[in-house]
Amino acid sequence: MLINYAEHLNKNEIIKSGSYYTPKMLVNRVYKYIFPYLKNAIIFDSAGGCGAFIKNGYNYRIADKDPKACLFVSEQFSDNNVYCGNSLENVGRNKYNIPDSSSLIMVGNPPYNDTTSEFKNGFKGVNICDDDLRDRDLGISFLKSYNKLKADIVCMLHPLSYLIKETNFKRLKNFKDNYKLIKGEIFSSGLFRGTGSAKFPILVALYERNPEGMSFDYIKEFQFD
C-alpha cells in the first residue's frame, strides 16, 4: 500500500469514499504552515487514509473508516494512536484520548463528497454523522467536527468554493463562527492522482480558533496565494 495514493481501492471505491490521497508536496506545505504551532501539540488527522499527514516524532492521532488503511497504518505507527471507524459519529476528544487541556492541531484532506460529483442520484449512500455535523458534503461535516473537537489550529485541504460561495460559507455554521482563516493557498485538483478531466480549485487553508470568527465580508477581502 502507498501513503500518497489509494492503490488498494478501485476507481468506483475511490469516488464513493472520496479517498483521493494527498501528494507529498501538499503534505509538506501543511507542515510548513503548522510549524509555529507544533510545540507540545497533538496532531490529528481524522480522515487519515494510509497516514500521509502523520510523521513520527510528534504526538499524533489518526482515524479512518477504511479497515485496510487502518491495518496498514497500525503497522507503520503506534497501534494505540490509530482509530478505525466513522470520525463523524460521537465526536469528542475522549473518543481519541485527547485531554481537554492539550493543544490540538487538525490536519488532513477529508473527502469532499457531494451529489453533484461523478456518482449521482444517491449512489454514494448516506452521510452517517452526529446531527449537528450533518451536511450533504462530507468535507463541510468534517470542518464542523473540528469545531466540536475544539481544535486550536486547523490546516486542511478543501474546495475553495466552501469559502467564496456565500451559500456554502453559511453552511459552515459554528466553524465559521469560531475560526479565522490566516493563510490560504490555491492549487488545482489536478494535482491529485486519478481525478477526472474536470478540475476545480482547492485550498490549503490555515485556520486559528478565534471567538470573533469570520464573516463573508472578511473572505471577500482575503488575499489568497
Side-chain angles (χ1 to χ4, degrees), residues 165-212:
K165 290 186 177 181
E166 189 169 10
T167 53
N168 290 347
F169 183 79
K170 290 179 178 178
R171 285 162 55 197
L172 295 175
K173 296 183 178 178
N174 288 343
F175 181 83
K176 68 176 177 58
D177 294 335
N178 288 286
Y179 290 87
K180 180 165 283 188
L181 182 67
I182 304 301
K183 186 174 179 64
E185 186 171 359
I186 300 167
F187 66 95
S188 169
S189 63
L191 290 183
F192 291 111
R193 182 178 169 187
T195 55
S197 58
K199 311 303 178 188
F200 59 95
I202 299 179
L203 195 66
V204 182
L206 174 66
Y207 299 94
E208 288 183 350
R209 190 167 182 85
N210 188 318
E212 294 181 0

Side-chain angles (χ1 to χ4, degrees), residues 23 32 38 65 78 81 111 120 133 138 143-144 148 152 154 167 172 174 190 195-196 200 202 207 217:
K32 178 182 176 182
L38 286 174
K65 67 178 183 178
S78 171
N81 293 334
K120 299 180 180 180
L133 305 181
L138 285 175
L143 274 169
K144 292 179 180 179
K148 200 167 181 179
D152 299 276
V154 173
T167 53
L172 295 175
N174 288 343
T195 55
F200 59 95
I202 299 179
Y207 299 94
D217 285 337

Side-chain angles (χ1 to χ4, degrees), residues 43-49 53-54 61-65 83 85-88 91 96 105-111 141-143 145-146 149:
I43 300 171
F44 184 20
D45 185 352
S46 59
F53 282 93
I54 300 303
R61 306 287 188 275
I62 182 169
D64 202 275
K65 67 178 183 178
Y83 298 82
N86 185 351
S87 297
L88 298 177
V91 174
Y96 304 104
I105 302 174
M106 299 300 303
V107 297
N109 174 33
S141 291
F142 270 97
L143 274 169
S145 75
Y146 303 156
L149 289 166

Side-chain angles (χ1 to χ4, degrees), residues 27-208:
V27 173
N28 290 341
R29 186 73 88 205
V30 165
Y31 271 83
K32 178 182 176 182
Y33 289 176
I34 66 174
F35 180 78
Y37 309 98
L38 286 174
K39 188 176 180 179
N40 299 322
I42 294 175
I43 300 171
F44 184 20
D45 185 352
S46 59
C50 285
F53 282 93
I54 300 303
K55 297 187 178 183
N56 279 312
Y58 296 106
N59 189 350
Y60 63 86
R61 306 287 188 275
I62 182 169
D64 202 275
K65 67 178 183 178
D66 180 346
K68 291 182 180 179
C70 290
L71 178 61
F72 174 82
V73 171
S74 295
E75 294 169 349
Q76 311 303 314
F77 301 97
S78 171
D79 186 50
N80 292 332
N81 293 334
V82 178
Y83 298 82
C84 192
N86 185 351
S87 297
L88 298 177
E89 276 192 300
N90 304 313
V91 174
R93 286 193 175 203
N94 288 341
K95 182 178 178 179
Y96 304 104
N97 192 27
I98 301 172
D100 290 338
S101 59
S102 295
S103 176
L104 178 61
I105 302 174
M106 299 300 303
V107 297
N109 174 33
Y112 351 114
N113 272 359
D114 204 326
T115 53
T116 58
S117 59
E118 289 187 56
F119 274 72
K120 299 180 180 180
N121 301 322
F123 290 139
K124 286 190 175 183
V126 179
N127 179 5
I128 300 173
C129 64
D130 293 347
D131 287 342
D132 54 348
L133 305 181
R134 196 167 306 283
D135 191 89
R136 69 173 184 269
D137 191 311
L138 285 175
I140 288 179
S141 291
F142 270 97
L143 274 169
K144 292 179 180 179
S145 75
Y146 303 156
N147 174 62
K148 200 167 181 179
L149 289 166
K150 293 183 170 59
D152 299 276
I153 299 295
V154 173
C155 193
M156 65 172 294
L157 280 54
H158 67 67
L160 180 62
S161 63
Y162 286 5
L163 296 181
I164 65 171
K165 290 186 177 181
E166 189 169 10
T167 53
N168 290 347
F169 183 79
K170 290 179 178 178
R171 285 162 55 197
L172 295 175
K173 296 183 178 178
N174 288 343
F175 181 83
K176 68 176 177 58
D177 294 335
N178 288 286
Y179 290 87
K180 180 165 283 188
L181 182 67
I182 304 301
K183 186 174 179 64
E185 186 171 359
I186 300 167
F187 66 95
S188 169
S189 63
L191 290 183
F192 291 111
R193 182 178 169 187
T195 55
S197 58
K199 311 303 178 188
F200 59 95
I202 299 179
L203 195 66
V204 182
L206 174 66
Y207 299 94
E208 288 183 350

